[in-house]
Amino acid sequence: MNVKGRSRTAMALVLAVLTVVAAACGGGKSSSPTPQAGTPGAGGTATTAAPKGTVKIGMILAMTGAGSFYGKVMSQGAQLAVDQINAAGGAAGYKLQLVIEDHKSGNADAAVTGARKLISQDHVAAILSSYSAPTLAVQPIAADNSMLVFNGGAVSPALLNKKNLYNTRALGNQLAPQVLTYIFGQATGHKLATIHWNDIAGQSVQQDVKKFWEGKGGQVVDDEPYKSGTTNYSAELARIKAANPDIIGIWSWGTDVGYIVKQARQLGINAKIVGVEWTADDAKIAGADAQGTIVALDTFDPSLSPAAQKFADAYKAKYNEPAEFYAANYYDLVYVVKTLVEQAAKDGKDPTQPASLTGAFPQVKSFPTVYGAELKFQRDGSAVKPSAIYAVQTDGSLKKLTSAGGQ
Amino acid sequence: MDLFWQLTVTGLLTGVVYALLGVSWGLIYGTTRTFHFAHGLAYACAAYAAVAATQHLAGNLVVGIVAGVLGAMVVGLACELLVYAPLRRRATLQLGIFLASLGILIAGQSFLQIGFGPDAQTLKVPSLGIQIWGPVAASRPLLLSSGIAALLVLALALFLQRTRLGREIRATARNYDLAELVGIRSPQVYALTFAIGSAMIGPAAVLFALDNVATPQMGVSAVLYAFIAVFLGGLESLWGAVIGGIALGLIAQWSSLWLPAYWQTTAAFALFFLVLVLRPAGILGRVAR
């Protein structure tokens, strides 16, 4: 083979590798889960009339990266709702379909790329988003396109009062004071050290917490912001240990919480640990070290209503894992979109168009929910959600200590 | 002062592990001039092999570590035999091989994610607990990892100095063509280098997974620390990577004495940058004339 031929071969190989790299990491994970054969809703068995069309719902979730747990349960919850709705004949005769984009656990750039694709190529009618930074990046684009964005995962107070953005998750600045109020009454010492995401979600909670804690007469002795997705907290925790707090507050989400709890105990820190998040992944990571950690969370309780129980049973049957509140939030949000589709159809509008759903939104006063009676949005774009204080048990499960807020 | 000692102990322990990562990566790079980014995949696969072995064979740490060593060795060897060697035979440029290596890492991570799911995996073996000396504490898996790393680096140094195979590796590193002329079978030496270099990181990966969890992405920071350690210390000798690794561990931790802790990566890279500017060949390296 001559030199030219060789370099061409090399070039071809490099191109091949680049293709692999691009396929593996570029553009996010894009998939359109359509009902599979054998799942409820497959094949449109229950439809009586021919479907009028398909209303696509875009989702921008953490499908890969440190928060892939969230992407998994949120998409599962939403898919279950879509399957149920389609099996029952759709929304006003329209089929629903999910189109999922990946924000790689909090990357706003990836979220914007995903949103543009959802809007211009997939022609979705509404977007369900998660994580604060990605949601805040997507909201202006959606608003420009008269499209609604629903968030059932992100917690920053900065998400409030944004055009076309509605949130069904209890926000961090609601949950953190709840858990701190609880621990203030329990703890003998009131020196608080905090560790949190160094982004809009963590910082906004931290600012509110500092005022709140000092207002109660407590003292904040150390504060350690860090980049979300970190796995090694030895330096942050060494500094916290040196500050000798009575309580450590974690204003972080994802697997970070599990790592922090575990590594704090590994450094021999005995302070009480409180937080605003606890997932199955955190339980796995922290193991027995998590015992006694106190967290405030949205409460999804299947015994709240028949609808909740029905959702929990169907979820367990389909995915063989218990439903938790993130899955419930996105299940609810698909039903919110369904209600809007029906309202738009009633108004004689085309519900596959984003503006039709946005136009229908003010007319619907309350939506169905698996969290008790009904879901109502406030003027600022938030929803009142039940929350509670939980203690983490030795096996990583949660034990409810007391109800904290909401209905 | 307590903070200083805690940071120093953590810095030293992690530094010795970085040194091992650096030495193993440096052995491969120094001998074969392959920018082996997929070393990170070997690291992750070691942890996943241990997860699988402890789940299906026996919930025993020794079983996990053996599986990890084998897992890493198989991945390292496969990279060399199936990808790098054929590319080298086709006279692919170093950049091409580097990109291939990056591709292996990313594709391999995706395969791990498909095979084991995106969730973090835990090692099903009894916890080793923590060690406390007065105001200073360290997790026992980290202590063990650090101890094994130190032993492995010493063993490798002896192997390279004292044995025939070790001398063949050094000879091939110095001059591939000349080594072939005197009868050393260089492709075999390359494969051996990949096998040894990869197997070495197995225990560190398994103990990291025991201390934390195994994730598909866990190898990326490991390989980054490895080559920072190598270039910090200098490519000339194994001890360069040892000094580079320990310096990296200590500086990253010590920076938290004065700066917020999230600056430690910045501090580590600032050190790296300074050394590269002031001593382009690394702390121990000599500039070629």
Side-chain angles (χ1 to χ4, degrees):
Chain A
M1 196 189 283
N2 61 20
V3 176
K4 218 172 179 181
R6 270 188 195 163
S7 61
R8 271 199 198 138
T9 318
M11 207 55 173
L13 275 168
V14 168
L15 281 175
V17 168
L18 282 175
T19 316
V20 171
V21 173
C25 67
K29 191 185 266 181
S30 171
S31 58
S32 317
T34 42
Q36 304 287 311
T39 57
T45 43
T47 45
T48 44
K52 294 175 185 167
T54 302
V55 176
K56 290 185 180 174
I57 305 172
M59 294 185 89
I60 304 178
L61 305 176
M63 301 308 290
T64 60
S68 55
F69 169 83
Y70 297 121
K72 188 183 83 170
V73 295
M74 289 170 181
S75 57
Q76 286 180 172
Q79 186 63 49
L80 178 64
V82 167
D83 289 348
Q84 287 179 350
I85 292 165
N86 286 343
Y94 288 85
K95 288 266 173 208
L96 299 187
Q97 185 192 335
L98 298 180
V99 185
I100 301 175
E101 289 293 322
D102 180 14
H103 63 55
K104 301 174 186 172
S105 300
N107 181 335
D109 292 346
V112 167
T113 309
R116 292 201 192 285
K117 178 179 167 288
L118 289 173
I119 293 169
S120 60
Q121 287 178 34
D122 298 311
H123 304 289
V124 300
I127 287 179
L128 313 184
S129 178
S130 70
Y131 274 59
S132 300
T135 303
L136 286 168
V138 165
Q139 175 268 332
I141 304 171
D144 283 349
N145 287 277
S146 307
M147 185 178 288
L148 293 168
V149 178
F150 295 99
N151 153 51
V155 294
S156 170
L159 296 158
L160 298 180
N161 299 306
K162 298 279 181 197
K163 191 181 171 195
N164 287 12
L165 172 61
Y166 296 93
N167 308 281
T168 60
R169 169 90 206 266
L171 300 179
N173 64 337
Q174 300 167 331
L175 293 173
Q178 289 170 4
V179 74
L180 287 173
T181 304
Y182 176 84
I183 203 73
F184 195 91
Q186 302 283 316
T188 44
H190 296 121
K191 281 188 292 175
L192 173 71
T194 49
I195 177 166
H196 60 84
W197 278 8
N198 195 11
D199 74 349
I200 188 121
Q203 282 165 354
S204 51
V205 175
Q206 171 61 18
Q207 283 159 10
D208 287 1
V209 156
K210 195 165 188 304
K211 269 183 246 155
F212 178 82
W213 192 250
E214 287 172 351
K216 279 179 98 70
Q219 190 191 353
V220 179
V221 291
D222 189 32
D223 174 36
E224 298 290 337
Y226 71 90
K227 189 173 183 305
S228 68
T230 301
T231 53
N232 181 351
Y233 298 90
S234 53
E236 284 85 353
L237 291 167
R239 285 164 61 99
I240 286 182
K241 188 181 176 185
N244 195 24
D246 304 303
I247 303 156
I248 298 174
I250 306 175
W251 322 132
S252 305
W253 296 265
T255 50
D256 300 13
V257 184
Y259 285 116
I260 293 170
V261 169
K262 174 163 187 156
Q263 292 172 18
R265 297 308 183 213
Q266 282 177 345
L267 270 184
I269 300 176
N270 295 317
K272 286 185 190 303
I273 300 179
V274 300
V276 288
E277 180 66 317
W278 193 258
T279 65
D281 260 6
D282 292 318
K284 234 192 234 179
I285 291 167
D289 286 326
Q291 197 211 352
T293 302
I294 311 277
V295 290
L297 294 175
D298 293 37
T299 303
F300 170 68
D301 181 355
S303 66
L304 273 180
S305 69
Q309 191 63 53
K310 193 178 141 222
F311 159 69
D313 292 345
Y315 190 90
K316 174 92 182 149
K318 187 169 162 80
Y319 303 112
N320 197 29
E321 52 190 70
E324 42 70 75
F325 72 88
Y326 284 112
N329 283 358
Y330 285 79
Y331 177 89
D332 263 4
L333 285 177
V334 170
Y335 274 93
V336 166
V337 174
K338 173 188 181 254
T339 312
L340 293 175
V341 168
E342 288 166 345
Q343 181 65 41
K346 208 159 76 185
D347 297 344
K349 300 273 172 55
D350 175 5
T352 62
Q353 295 304 312
S356 309
L357 301 192
T358 311
F361 189 82
Q363 303 175 55
V364 183
K365 298 294 170 232
S366 78
F367 296 89
T369 174
V370 293
Y371 288 93
E374 54 184 6
L375 172 63
K376 281 183 178 167
F377 289 99
Q378 320 275 315
R379 289 178 72 95
D380 62 5
S382 68
V384 179
K385 285 294 282 292
S387 57
I389 308 293
Y390 296 89
V392 180
Q393 307 294 293
T394 323
D395 64 354
S397 65
L398 293 170
K399 185 181 152 203
K400 187 168 167 180
L401 298 173
T402 169
S403 294
Q407 294 165 342
Chain B
M1 208 55 200
D2 288 356
L3 177 61
F4 173 79
W5 289 117
Q6 179 65 62
L7 293 174
T8 306
V9 166
T10 313
L12 263 180
L13 292 175
T14 47
V16 173
V17 178
Y18 296 159
L20 168 81
L21 294 171
V23 165
S24 63
W25 190 84
L27 173 72
I28 292 171
Y29 182 79
T31 308
T32 69
R33 297 286 144 179
T34 306
F35 204 97
H36 183 39
F37 220 92
H39 206 41
L41 181 65
Y43 185 82
C45 286
Y48 276 90
V51 167
T54 50
Q55 255 171 22
H56 301 296
L57 298 176
N60 180 316
L61 184 58
V62 177
V63 171
I65 290 180
V66 171
V69 168
L70 289 175
M73 195 165 76
V74 167
V75 172
L77 257 181
C79 290
E80 164 62 13
L81 298 179
L82 303 178
V83 182
Y84 302 144
L87 286 178
R88 261 186 240 115
R89 280 200 295 276
R90 286 163 177 258
T92 307
L93 297 174
Q94 258 207 343
L95 176 67
I97 293 184
F98 164 71
L99 289 174
S101 190
L102 189 63
I104 296 172
L105 175 67
I106 292 169
Q109 284 179 356
S110 305
F111 280 123
L112 282 178
Q113 181 155 345
I114 293 166
F116 288 84
D119 310 357
Q121 300 289 322
T122 47
L123 221 51
K124 298 272 184 297
V125 300
S127 152
L128 297 182
I130 62 170
Q131 190 69 43
I132 297 179
W133 304 277
V136 175
S139 81
R140 291 204 181 109
L142 179 60
L143 273 171
L144 186 60
S145 181
S146 199
I148 293 178
L151 287 178
L152 283 175
V153 170
L154 287 175
L156 179 72
L158 284 176
F159 168 77
L160 290 177
Q161 288 296 334
R162 301 284 169 82
T163 65
R164 187 186 161 78
L165 276 175
R167 283 195 290 269
E168 286 188 3
I169 290 179
R170 283 163 53 219
T172 312
R174 197 53 65 81
N175 191 325
Y176 185 96
D177 296 326
L178 199 59
E180 291 232 300
L181 273 182
V182 299
I184 296 172
R185 294 156 68 95
S186 298
Q188 274 85 338
V189 170
Y190 272 29
L192 178 73
T193 307
F194 269 91
I196 295 175
S198 306
M200 281 177 82
I201 58 171
V206 175
L207 287 164
F208 178 87
L210 176 62
D211 214 357
N212 300 286
V213 282
T215 60
Q217 296 82 22
M218 67 188 282
V220 176
S221 52
V223 74
L224 281 176
Y225 287 132
F227 68 68
I228 292 177
V230 169
F231 287 98
L232 207 53
L235 280 163
E236 297 278 309
S237 76
L238 177 155
W239 303 111
V242 171
I243 290 178
I246 294 176
L248 179 64
L250 281 175
I251 296 297
Q253 290 287 321
W254 278 343
S255 68
S256 302
L257 280 171
W258 307 284
L259 294 169
Y262 66 94
W263 280 78
Q264 53 174 320
T265 320
T266 316
F269 275 93
L271 167 79
F272 185 44
F273 178 73
L274 262 182
V275 170
L276 283 188
V277 169
L278 298 176
R279 291 188 63 88
I283 297 171
L284 284 195
R286 269 164 299 179
V287 181
R289 266 182 276 262

